[in-house]
Short mmCIF file of all heavy atoms in Angstrom, two decimals:
data_model
loop_
_atom_site.label_atom_id
_atom_site.label_comp_id
_atom_site.label_asym_id
_atom_site.label_seq_id
_atom_site.Cartn_x
_atom_site.Cartn_y
_atom_site.Cartn_z
N ALA I 137 83.38 90.11 78.24
CA ALA I 137 82.05 90.14 78.86
C ALA I 137 80.97 90.33 77.81
O ALA I 137 79.89 89.72 77.89
CB ALA I 137 81.99 91.25 79.90
N ALA I 138 81.24 91.17 76.82
CA ALA I 138 80.24 91.38 75.77
C ALA I 138 79.95 90.08 75.04
O ALA I 138 78.85 89.88 74.51
CB ALA I 138 80.73 92.44 74.79
N LEU I 139 80.93 89.21 75.02
CA LEU I 139 80.75 87.94 74.30
C LEU I 139 80.03 86.90 75.14
O LEU I 139 79.26 86.10 74.63
CB LEU I 139 82.12 87.42 73.85
CG LEU I 139 82.14 86.16 72.99
CD1 LEU I 139 81.35 86.39 71.70
CD2 LEU I 139 83.57 85.77 72.66
N HIS I 140 80.26 86.92 76.46
CA HIS I 140 79.80 85.81 77.30
C HIS I 140 78.73 86.17 78.32
O HIS I 140 78.24 85.29 79.00
CB HIS I 140 81.00 85.20 78.05
CG HIS I 140 81.96 84.49 77.15
ND1 HIS I 140 83.24 84.94 76.93
CD2 HIS I 140 81.84 83.36 76.41
CE1 HIS I 140 83.87 84.13 76.09
NE2 HIS I 140 83.04 83.16 75.76
N ALA I 141 78.39 87.44 78.44
CA ALA I 141 77.46 87.82 79.51
C ALA I 141 76.09 87.20 79.29
O ALA I 141 75.58 87.16 78.16
CB ALA I 141 77.33 89.34 79.56
N THR I 142 75.51 86.73 80.37
CA THR I 142 74.14 86.23 80.29
C THR I 142 73.17 87.38 80.51
O THR I 142 73.56 88.49 80.90
CB THR I 142 73.90 85.15 81.33
OG1 THR I 142 73.90 85.77 82.63
CG2 THR I 142 74.99 84.10 81.29
N LEU I 143 71.91 87.10 80.29
CA LEU I 143 70.92 88.15 80.47
C LEU I 143 70.84 88.60 81.92
O LEU I 143 70.69 89.79 82.21
CB LEU I 143 69.54 87.66 79.99
CG LEU I 143 69.43 87.52 78.47
CD1 LEU I 143 68.03 87.06 78.10
CD2 LEU I 143 69.78 88.83 77.78
N SER I 144 70.97 87.66 82.83
CA SER I 144 70.92 88.05 84.24
C SER I 144 72.16 88.87 84.61
O SER I 144 72.08 89.77 85.46
CB SER I 144 70.82 86.80 85.12
OG SER I 144 71.96 85.99 84.95
N ASP I 145 73.29 88.57 84.01
CA ASP I 145 74.47 89.41 84.23
C ASP I 145 74.15 90.85 83.86
O ASP I 145 74.40 91.79 84.64
CB ASP I 145 75.64 88.92 83.36
CG ASP I 145 76.22 87.62 83.88
OD1 ASP I 145 76.08 87.35 85.08
OD2 ASP I 145 76.80 86.87 83.08
N ILE I 146 73.58 91.02 82.68
CA ILE I 146 73.29 92.38 82.21
C ILE I 146 72.26 93.05 83.10
O ILE I 146 72.37 94.25 83.43
CB ILE I 146 72.81 92.33 80.75
CG1 ILE I 146 73.95 91.79 79.87
CG2 ILE I 146 72.38 93.69 80.26
CD1 ILE I 146 73.54 91.45 78.47
N ALA I 147 71.26 92.28 83.53
CA ALA I 147 70.26 92.86 84.42
C ALA I 147 70.90 93.34 85.72
O ALA I 147 70.60 94.44 86.22
CB ALA I 147 69.18 91.83 84.71
N ALA I 148 71.82 92.54 86.25
CA ALA I 148 72.50 92.94 87.49
C ALA I 148 73.30 94.22 87.27
O ALA I 148 73.31 95.12 88.12
CB ALA I 148 73.41 91.82 87.97
N MET I 149 73.95 94.29 86.11
CA MET I 149 74.72 95.52 85.83
C MET I 149 73.78 96.73 85.79
O MET I 149 74.10 97.78 86.34
CB MET I 149 75.42 95.39 84.48
CG MET I 149 76.55 94.36 84.45
SD MET I 149 77.32 94.32 82.83
CE MET I 149 77.94 92.65 82.80
N ARG I 150 72.65 96.57 85.12
CA ARG I 150 71.73 97.71 85.01
C ARG I 150 71.25 98.14 86.39
O ARG I 150 71.12 99.34 86.68
CB ARG I 150 70.55 97.31 84.12
CG ARG I 150 70.95 97.16 82.66
CD ARG I 150 69.81 97.60 81.74
NE ARG I 150 70.28 97.80 80.37
CZ ARG I 150 70.05 96.91 79.39
NH1 ARG I 150 69.40 95.80 79.63
NH2 ARG I 150 70.49 97.17 78.17
N GLN I 151 71.03 97.16 87.24
CA GLN I 151 70.60 97.52 88.60
C GLN I 151 71.69 98.32 89.31
O GLN I 151 71.41 99.30 90.00
CB GLN I 151 70.27 96.25 89.38
CG GLN I 151 69.64 96.55 90.73
CD GLN I 151 69.32 95.27 91.48
OE1 GLN I 151 69.41 94.19 90.92
NE2 GLN I 151 68.97 95.40 92.74
N SER I 152 72.94 97.89 89.13
CA SER I 152 74.03 98.64 89.75
C SER I 152 74.11 100.05 89.18
O SER I 152 74.44 101.00 89.90
CB SER I 152 75.36 97.90 89.52
OG SER I 152 75.34 96.66 90.18
N LEU I 153 73.82 100.18 87.89
CA LEU I 153 73.82 101.51 87.29
C LEU I 153 72.87 102.44 88.03
O LEU I 153 73.22 103.58 88.36
CB LEU I 153 73.40 101.41 85.81
CG LEU I 153 74.48 101.04 84.82
CD1 LEU I 153 73.93 101.07 83.40
CD2 LEU I 153 75.66 101.98 84.95
N VAL I 154 71.67 101.93 88.30
CA VAL I 154 70.71 102.76 89.01
C VAL I 154 71.23 103.09 90.40
O VAL I 154 71.12 104.23 90.87
CB VAL I 154 69.35 102.03 89.09
CG1 VAL I 154 68.31 102.93 89.71
CG2 VAL I 154 68.92 101.57 87.71
N GLN I 155 71.78 102.10 91.04
CA GLN I 155 72.24 102.32 92.42
C GLN I 155 73.35 103.35 92.49
O GLN I 155 73.45 104.11 93.46
CB GLN I 155 72.71 101.00 93.02
CG GLN I 155 71.55 100.06 93.36
CD GLN I 155 72.02 98.79 94.02
OE1 GLN I 155 73.21 98.46 93.96
NE2 GLN I 155 71.11 98.08 94.64
N THR I 156 74.23 103.39 91.48
CA THR I 156 75.30 104.40 91.53
C THR I 156 74.70 105.80 91.54
O THR I 156 75.21 106.69 92.21
CB THR I 156 76.23 104.26 90.31
OG1 THR I 156 75.45 104.25 89.12
CG2 THR I 156 77.07 103.03 90.42
N ARG I 157 73.60 105.99 90.80
CA ARG I 157 72.99 107.32 90.77
C ARG I 157 72.34 107.66 92.11
O ARG I 157 72.21 108.82 92.47
CB ARG I 157 71.93 107.38 89.67
CG ARG I 157 72.53 107.43 88.28
CD ARG I 157 71.65 108.27 87.36
NE ARG I 157 72.41 109.35 86.74
CZ ARG I 157 72.86 109.31 85.48
NH1 ARG I 157 72.62 108.27 84.74
NH2 ARG I 157 73.52 110.34 84.99
N ASP I 158 71.93 106.63 92.85
CA ASP I 158 71.26 106.87 94.12
C ASP I 158 72.22 107.03 95.28
O ASP I 158 71.80 107.32 96.41
CB ASP I 158 70.28 105.72 94.42
CG ASP I 158 69.11 105.72 93.45
OD1 ASP I 158 68.91 106.76 92.78
OD2 ASP I 158 68.43 104.69 93.35
N ALA I 159 73.49 106.84 95.03
CA ALA I 159 74.45 106.89 96.14
C ALA I 159 74.48 108.30 96.73
O ALA I 159 74.54 109.28 95.99
CB ALA I 159 75.83 106.48 95.65
N VAL I 160 74.42 108.38 98.04
CA VAL I 160 74.40 109.69 98.68
C VAL I 160 75.75 110.06 99.27
O VAL I 160 75.94 111.17 99.73
CB VAL I 160 73.33 109.74 99.79
CG1 VAL I 160 71.94 109.59 99.18
CG2 VAL I 160 73.59 108.66 100.81
N THR I 161 76.69 109.13 99.26
CA THR I 161 78.02 109.45 99.77
C THR I 161 79.06 108.83 98.86
O THR I 161 78.80 107.86 98.14
CB THR I 161 78.19 108.92 101.20
OG1 THR I 161 79.55 109.03 101.57
CG2 THR I 161 77.80 107.47 101.29
N TRP I 162 80.26 109.39 98.91
CA TRP I 162 81.31 108.92 98.03
C TRP I 162 81.66 107.45 98.31
O TRP I 162 81.98 106.68 97.42
CB TRP I 162 82.57 109.78 98.18
CG TRP I 162 82.55 110.96 97.27
CD1 TRP I 162 82.33 112.25 97.62
CD2 TRP I 162 82.74 110.95 95.84
NE1 TRP I 162 82.38 113.05 96.51
CE2 TRP I 162 82.64 112.29 95.40
CE3 TRP I 162 83.01 109.95 94.92
CZ2 TRP I 162 82.78 112.64 94.06
CZ3 TRP I 162 83.14 110.31 93.57
CH2 TRP I 162 83.02 111.63 93.16
N ARG I 163 81.59 107.09 99.58
CA ARG I 163 81.94 105.73 99.90
C ARG I 163 80.94 104.74 99.30
O ARG I 163 81.31 103.73 98.71
CB ARG I 163 82.00 105.55 101.43
CG ARG I 163 82.57 104.22 101.84
CD ARG I 163 82.52 104.07 103.34
NE ARG I 163 83.29 105.11 104.02
CZ ARG I 163 84.59 105.01 104.26
NH1 ARG I 163 85.25 103.95 103.86
NH2 ARG I 163 85.22 105.97 104.90
N GLN I 164 79.66 105.08 99.41
CA GLN I 164 78.66 104.23 98.79
C GLN I 164 78.90 104.13 97.29
O GLN I 164 78.87 103.05 96.70
CB GLN I 164 77.26 104.78 99.05
CG GLN I 164 76.66 104.34 100.36
CD GLN I 164 75.20 104.77 100.45
OE1 GLN I 164 74.56 105.06 99.46
NE2 GLN I 164 74.69 104.78 101.67
N TYR I 165 79.14 105.29 96.69
CA TYR I 165 79.37 105.28 95.24
C TYR I 165 80.53 104.38 94.87
O TYR I 165 80.46 103.58 93.95
CB TYR I 165 79.63 106.71 94.76
CG TYR I 165 80.12 106.75 93.34
CD1 TYR I 165 79.24 106.57 92.27
CD2 TYR I 165 81.48 106.89 93.06
CE1 TYR I 165 79.70 106.56 90.97
CE2 TYR I 165 81.94 106.88 91.75
CZ TYR I 165 81.06 106.71 90.72
OH TYR I 165 81.51 106.71 89.44
N GLU I 166 81.60 104.51 95.65
CA GLU I 166 82.77 103.70 95.36
C GLU I 166 82.47 102.21 95.45
O GLU I 166 82.90 101.42 94.61
CB GLU I 166 83.89 104.07 96.35
CG GLU I 166 85.22 104.32 95.71
CD GLU I 166 86.25 104.70 96.75
OE1 GLU I 166 86.83 103.77 97.32
OE2 GLU I 166 86.42 105.90 97.03
#
Side-chain angles (χ1 to χ4, degrees):
Chain I
L139 185 59
H140 292 113
T142 70
L143 288 182
S144 62
D145 288 335
I146 296 169
M149 291 181 207
R150 289 214 165 103
Q151 188 180 350
S152 296
L153 277 184
V154 185
Q155 287 183 344
T156 52
R157 287 213 125 101
D158 292 344
V160 295
T161 170
W162 272 106
R163 189 184 300 274
Q164 275 188 19
Y165 169 77
E166 228 179 85

